[in-house]
Amino acid sequence: MNHFKRNHVLLICWVILFAIISGGFGNYLGIPYLFLDPVYMNKVNFFSFFIMGIVIAGFSIAFHITTYINDGHRFSFIGIQSKPFTIFSLNNSIIPFAFLFCYVTFIIQYQVSNEFVEDDMLLRNLLGLLLGYVGMTILLFTYFWFTNKDIFKYVVCKVDEKLKQNIKVTRASAMKKLNIAKKKQSRVDHFLNLNFAFQKAEDDKGFYDRNTILQVFDQNHFNLVIIELFIFLLLLIMGIFKDYEAFQLPAAASFTLLLTIFVMFVGAFSYWFGSWSSTFALVIIIIINGLVKEGYFNKTYKAFGLDYATEPAPYNIDQIEALNSIENREKDKTETLQILNTWRNKFPQDKKPKMVFLCVSGGGQRAALWTLNVLQYTDSLTNGQLMKNTMLITGASGGLIGASYYRELYLRGLSDKSVDRHAREYQDRIASDNLNAIIFSLLMNDAFVGFSNFEYNGLEYDKDRGYAFENQLNKNTEFVLDKPLIAYREPEKKSEIPMMIMAPTVINDGRKLYISPQHISYMMDRSDSTYGGEKLSGVEFLRLFENQGSENLRFLSGLRMSATFPYITPNITLPSDPPIEIMDAGITDNFGVSDAIKFLFAFKDWIHENTSGVVFVSIRDSEKNGSISKESHLSLFERFSMPISSIYQNFESLQDITNDSKMEYAREWFPGNIERIDIEYIPREYAKENLSTADSLRMENVRRASLSWRLTRREKQSLIENIHTYNNEKAIQELKSLLEQ
């Protein structure tokens, strides 16, 4: 009752944790799975759960410390016990123990229903969780037992001079609480003692004398400082070695650790400022907001390979118009026509081939695995004809990562026949965890450390979250994508591999930033009419940042720009004036269809003359024509937010409608044939066709893989097997038939 009356911030932290593990928060993003199926060094095992037990115990202890310091004076009878903090914590453990019980219950339910783990493995995992929890609890309480009351005499006196001013504030706060303690005591008739027996609370022995009360408060504050310093020291050590997987905690553990630090900070803040804490907190927030506005805490996340020390590239309307001049457009068209002719020479001269445009959707690791899986299966089924006929790859986010990985494997296979691009191991690699490194870097670099750097192509950059994302993706893919952008120019010119255009969004003005090893100014919308007032839809990266080394852009950084997931992978800032902020390509077109149509428009005459038509192969990680649900039983807040939330929920649908309209217009102005093949990840279909009714119902909460950079075993299985649904098999057979014509 005391928590419900006074400690709302602490309760909110617990509510967040309860909501996550129960699936009430972040299901779409897969947040509950981070707790129910934690990954450590790409494995879910005893050690991953052991770490979770440690951090949850640490959070519980932080909760006890904060409550004891702020509310201990309300239960003065505790002070006459031999181990006051231990007794207080035991009686304060209703919420922590309830959480631990629920956590274990949800783990069992999830692991059995979705991961199909064997009983002995499940028992080992739970044993790891409980051993970590109990071990951490015993360790911390052992410290408190040995430093109970004597801490003031033997330790605090040694640092009294350094904390002199703070101690004065502490004593003033302590005496104030002491004076009002009698008037604000919470009624307690019985409490649970260390023998786990109920004991009557006795207040007739009175309070400790003045010095004893001061010692208790000073000791508790010092203990809090020691624990905080220990956590920060531990984080500092782990941050130094964060590039090693052994030091990268599970994502859920990093989040819990961050929550622990927040709870301890709230406790210390509330203790120092008492009833003024809310006011001071508001003032601090306003001050920090002002400082951020003035640029004091602004952190620039860079694209590796670009030179940020040179004069920034001008980014204005005049420069955009100049880069898109008629001369540049004609020159770029001529160069790309040479690539098209080289592509045409791969086929018999007396037979016009189909030209394939691969359009891959975004969607985090879900889209990456799904795209790779589709390309492997379809290309194998067509005996390599799919990649041979593909001229261009467009798309966003995870889909581009999966397609880039397969394209690189295809390129390597041309010179090394031992590379089997259809092997299952590549699916396992692209599906390996990429979230632990990002979240741990968020905790370490962005929040606390941020002093480490690395060198790329002779230039120095910070090891931030962007680096963590690229480094982990690099490891997962065996470093095959660790190339500069220019490395793909010749293979594309020789038509050994399809062209690929990345098109992240410029936050400043909503234009697209077209990234390619080729010059592609023809991708900007501009008609030949006399109007001349059209707004250019994009800008070419290669020319805009030519003086900043655009050709040396790390290819992984280009992929990261197209896969900027809000709040997880940070927005990249480019060296321009004003600085360009980059956002995910999926904001403008999550499916890449519009960019493929632009390419078709630029070369419509050549394509009509040299091909038997074009085939748009759309690899989607979402259902295009899903069922329409009725919004019912809406709360007041849901009704209030519906105008905005409905736009967000139907964002992909709006893009689909726009792309379909562009496709229909293309059928009017393109004289050749246009075919469209959709290969969709719809796990509901697989569940209906291959599982029993009971199993289908059991899969209700994991039908669709979460939008995250980490997939569970069940989600991986769903993504891989979903290629065999009736609709997908039918679409692939239709594609095969088109390529064989």
Side-chain angles (χ1 to χ4, degrees):
M1 295 305 298
N2 179 72
H3 290 310
F4 280 104
K5 184 177 181 180
R6 298 181 176 89
N7 299 324
H8 299 144
V9 175
L10 299 182
L11 285 181
I12 289 175
C13 294
W14 283 112
V15 168
I16 292 174
L17 289 177
F18 272 103
I20 289 175
I21 65 172
S22 63
F25 175 78
N27 246 340
Y28 179 70
L29 300 176
I31 296 177
Y33 309 145
L34 303 180
F35 283 78
L36 303 177
D37 197 46
V39 173
Y40 177 63
M41 298 184 68
N42 277 320
K43 293 181 180 179
V44 179
N45 53 22
F46 174 90
F47 295 104
S48 63
F49 279 96
F50 181 77
I51 293 173
M52 288 303 303
I54 290 177
V55 296
I56 291 174
F59 177 75
S60 300
I61 301 300
F63 171 69
H64 294 319
I65 292 174
T66 299
T67 308
Y68 184 48
I69 289 178
N70 290 321
D71 295 330
H73 64 282
R74 304 183 190 281
F75 309 97
S76 60
F77 67 91
I78 293 289
I80 64 175
Q81 307 300 319
S82 59
K83 304 292 183 183
F85 176 69
T86 306
I87 293 178
F88 182 90
S89 300
L90 180 62
N91 288 270
N92 192 46
S93 293
I94 294 178
I95 296 177
F97 285 167
F99 174 79
L100 183 62
F101 175 80
C102 292
Y103 188 34
V104 171
T105 302
F106 285 123
I107 287 174
I108 296 174
Q109 178 182 352
Y110 174 79
Q111 293 289 331
V112 172
S113 300
N114 300 308
E115 295 301 315
F116 311 129
V117 297
E118 299 177 357
D119 292 342
D120 58 339
M121 181 180 295
L122 177 59
L123 290 176
R124 283 199 301 270
N125 293 343
L126 292 178
L127 182 62
L129 174 72
L130 297 177
L131 283 179
Y133 189 93
V134 173
M136 187 63 172
T137 301
I138 292 176
L139 178 65
L140 289 177
F141 273 98
T142 299
Y143 165 76
F144 288 121
W145 275 39
F146 282 103
T147 59
N148 195 21
K149 292 181 181 179
D150 296 335
I151 187 76
F152 182 81
K153 297 179 181 178
Y154 295 108
V155 183
V156 174
C157 60
K158 297 180 182 179
V159 296
D160 187 64
E161 292 300 322
K162 295 181 181 180
L163 302 177
K164 188 174 182 181
Q165 293 181 348
N166 292 340
I167 293 297
K168 288 181 179 179
V169 178
T170 306
R171 292 180 177 179
S173 178
M175 291 312 301
K176 181 179 179 181
K177 292 180 179 180
L178 176 62
N179 293 332
I180 65 174
K182 289 185 177 181
K183 298 180 181 179
K184 292 192 175 182
Q185 288 291 293
S186 298
R187 176 183 171 181
V188 176
D189 296 325
H190 296 83
F191 67 94
L192 198 65
N193 60 27
L194 296 181
N195 295 322
F196 294 94
F198 284 102
Q199 181 177 330
K200 186 175 182 181
E202 299 180 0
D203 284 327
D204 56 339
K205 294 185 179 180
F207 295 89
Y208 280 116
D209 57 58
R210 177 188 177 95
N211 291 332
T212 305
I213 291 292
L214 290 177
Q215 289 178 18
V216 170
F217 276 89
D218 285 339
Q219 169 226 326
N220 290 332
H221 175 70
F222 187 78
N223 275 342
L224 177 61
V225 171
I226 290 295
I227 296 298
E228 286 178 335
L229 289 177
F230 173 77
I231 292 177
F232 277 98
L233 180 62
L234 181 63
L235 289 176
L236 183 63
I237 295 174
M238 295 178 68
I240 295 174
F241 301 99
K242 64 182 180 298
D243 291 340
Y244 298 93
E245 281 190 294
F247 289 88
Q248 295 173 3
L249 301 179
S254 295
F255 175 78
T256 307
L257 191 57
L258 185 61
L259 210 60
T260 301
I261 295 172
F262 173 75
V263 165
M264 299 186 76
F265 173 79
V266 168
F269 193 84
S270 177
Y271 178 68
W272 287 111
F273 298 107
S275 59
W276 285 89
S277 57
S278 299
T279 303
F280 275 102
L282 181 61
V283 170
I284 291 175
I285 291 174
I286 294 175
I287 293 174
I288 293 177
N289 180 66
L291 292 175
V292 170
K293 185 177 181 180
E294 295 299 323
Y296 284 97
F297 297 111
N298 287 353
K299 181 177 176 59
T300 300
Y301 295 93
K302 299 178 179 180
F304 306 139
L306 294 184
D307 188 356
Y308 285 75
T310 61
E311 183 178 353
Y315 185 69
N316 49 55
I317 300 299
D318 293 337
Q319 180 69 359
I320 295 174
E321 292 283 350
L323 295 176
N324 193 53
S325 65
I326 296 177
E327 293 77 14
N328 285 341
R329 290 163 65 90
E330 292 302 319
K331 180 182 177 182
D332 296 351
K333 277 190 175 182
T334 301
E335 292 178 353
T336 304
L337 280 172
Q338 295 177 1
I339 300 177
L340 289 169
N341 287 322
T342 304
W343 174 86
R344 177 65 180 88
N345 292 333
K346 295 191 297 184
F347 305 93
Q349 293 301 314
D350 59 342
K351 183 179 180 182
K352 292 183 179 181
K354 291 285 187 183
M355 177 176 284
V356 175
F357 294 142
L358 280 179
C359 306
V360 296
S361 76
Q365 199 168 40
R366 175 184 69 199
L369 177 57
W370 174 241
T371 300
L372 177 65
N373 180 40
V374 171
L375 290 177
Q376 283 184 318
Y377 182 76
T378 307
D379 195 40
S380 173
L381 208 62
T382 58
N383 296 318
Q385 202 67 30
L386 174 62
M387 288 299 288
K388 183 179 179 180
N389 285 61
T390 298
M391 178 63 213
L392 178 68
I393 299 176
T394 59
S397 189
L400 273 183
I401 293 177
S404 298
Y405 189 37
Y406 187 75
R407 187 179 73 147
E408 175 62 33
L409 294 173
Y410 181 83
L411 177 61
R412 289 174 178 261
L414 296 178
S415 57
D416 184 0
K417 300 303 180 182
S418 65
V419 177
D420 180 11
R421 63 182 185 275
H422 305 127
R424 173 64 183 267
E425 66 173 290
Y426 299 119
Q427 296 178 4
D428 296 332
R429 290 190 177 281
I430 202 69
S432 298
D433 177 77
N434 201 24
L435 190 61
N436 284 356
I438 299 175
I439 301 300
F440 189 69
S441 181
L442 171 64
L443 174 65
M444 293 306 312
N445 285 76
D446 295 22
F448 297 107
V449 184
F451 59 79
S452 56
N453 49 52
F454 78 108
E455 185 177 297
Y456 178 79
N457 197 29
L459 300 172
E460 199 169 84
Y461 304 93
D462 292 336
K463 286 186 176 182
D464 50 27
R465 264 182 297 154
Y467 169 81
F469 174 82
E470 291 185 23
N471 190 47
Q472 190 61 47
L473 179 60
N474 215 3
K475 291 179 181 178
N476 293 348
T477 55
E478 294 186 296
F479 306 96
V480 298
L481 296 174
D482 195 2
K483 298 180 176 182
L485 182 65
I486 192 66
Y488 287 108
R489 175 172 291 178
E490 284 304 313
E492 287 187 3
K493 279 189 173 182
K494 295 177 181 178
S495 200
E496 295 176 345
I497 56 175
M499 289 178 61
M500 176 175 287
I501 297 178
M502 296 175 280
T505 307
V506 178
I507 296 178
N508 307 54
D509 55 17
R511 288 183 169 88
K512 290 187 177 184
L513 182 68
Y514 285 104
I515 303 175
S516 169
Q518 317 298 332
H519 288 292
I520 51 172
S521 59
Y522 50 77
M523 290 296 293
M524 277 31 95
D525 289 331
R526 172 57 58 86
S527 67
D528 296 327
S529 67
T530 58
Y531 168 56
E534 301 94 341
K535 183 175 181 178
L536 289 172
S537 62
V539 61
E540 187 193 349
F541 170 83
L542 212 56
R543 280 198 175 95
L544 179 61
F545 295 101
E546 184 177 1
N547 295 332
Q548 289 73 33
S550 55
E551 293 182 344
N552 299 320
L553 173 75
R554 194 185 195 190
F555 184 70
L556 288 167
S557 291
L559 291 176
R560 174 160 62 98
M561 280 193 266
S562 297
T564 304
F565 196 88
Y567 309 111
I568 303 299
T569 45
N571 298 336
I572 286 180
T573 302
L574 297 176
S576 61
D577 182 25
I580 291 177
E581 296 280 340
I582 294 299
M583 194 64 179
D584 196 295
I587 292 180
T588 50
D589 182 8
N590 195 47
F591 306 101
V593 174
S594 61
D595 291 328
I597 292 176
K598 285 183 181 180
F599 186 91
L600 174 62
F601 180 78
F603 301 99
K604 58 181 183 294
D605 295 333
W606 187 97
I607 294 175
H608 171 58
E609 182 180 346
N610 292 275
T611 71
S612 60
V614 296
V615 182
F616 286 81
V617 179
S618 181
I619 302 176
R620 306 171 52 101
D621 79 326
S622 60
E623 185 176 8
K624 184 177 181 180
N625 292 307
S627 59
I628 301 174
S629 59
K630 178 183 178 181
E631 299 289 349
S632 58
H633 305 292
L634 297 177
S635 67
L636 175 63
F637 294 106
E638 288 172 333
R639 291 181 183 276
F640 180 77
S641 63
M642 180 177 288
I644 297 177
S645 63
S646 61
I647 295 177
Y648 172 77
Q649 293 170 0
N650 294 300
F651 195 61
E652 288 189 350
S653 179
L654 294 172
Q655 291 184 348
D656 277 328
I657 294 172
T658 302
N659 286 337
D660 287 348
S661 298
K662 291 181 178 179
M663 187 70 72
E664 289 306 309
Y665 288 137
R667 298 182 193 276
E668 295 295 325
W669 51 253
F670 181 66
N673 295 322
I674 295 180
E675 306 286 347
R676 188 170 180 179
I677 304 294
D678 292 328
I679 304 176
E680 302 174 318
Y681 167 58
I682 312 176
R684 183 178 64 255
E685 291 185 2
Y686 177 75
K688 285 182 177 180
E689 294 172 15
N690 297 274
L691 298 178
S692 64
T693 303
D695 287 339
S696 295
L697 292 174
R698 186 183 64 185
M699 287 182 61
E700 183 72 27
N701 292 328
V702 290
R703 280 178 176 175
R704 180 166 166 77
S706 53
L707 179 61
S708 175
W709 288 111
R710 189 258 160 159
L711 298 171
T712 66
R713 190 183 313 169
R714 174 68 256 179
E715 290 172 333
K716 294 175 186 176
Q717 180 181 344
S718 171
L719 283 160
I720 293 172
E721 295 179 346
N722 196 254
I723 192 68
H724 300 297
T725 64
Y726 173 77
N727 287 337
N728 284 337
E729 291 282 12
K730 180 181 177 182
I732 294 172
Q733 288 299 324
E734 183 180 352
L735 175 60
K736 182 180 179 182
S737 176
L738 287 171
L739 296 179
E740 290 175 348
Q741 289 178 3

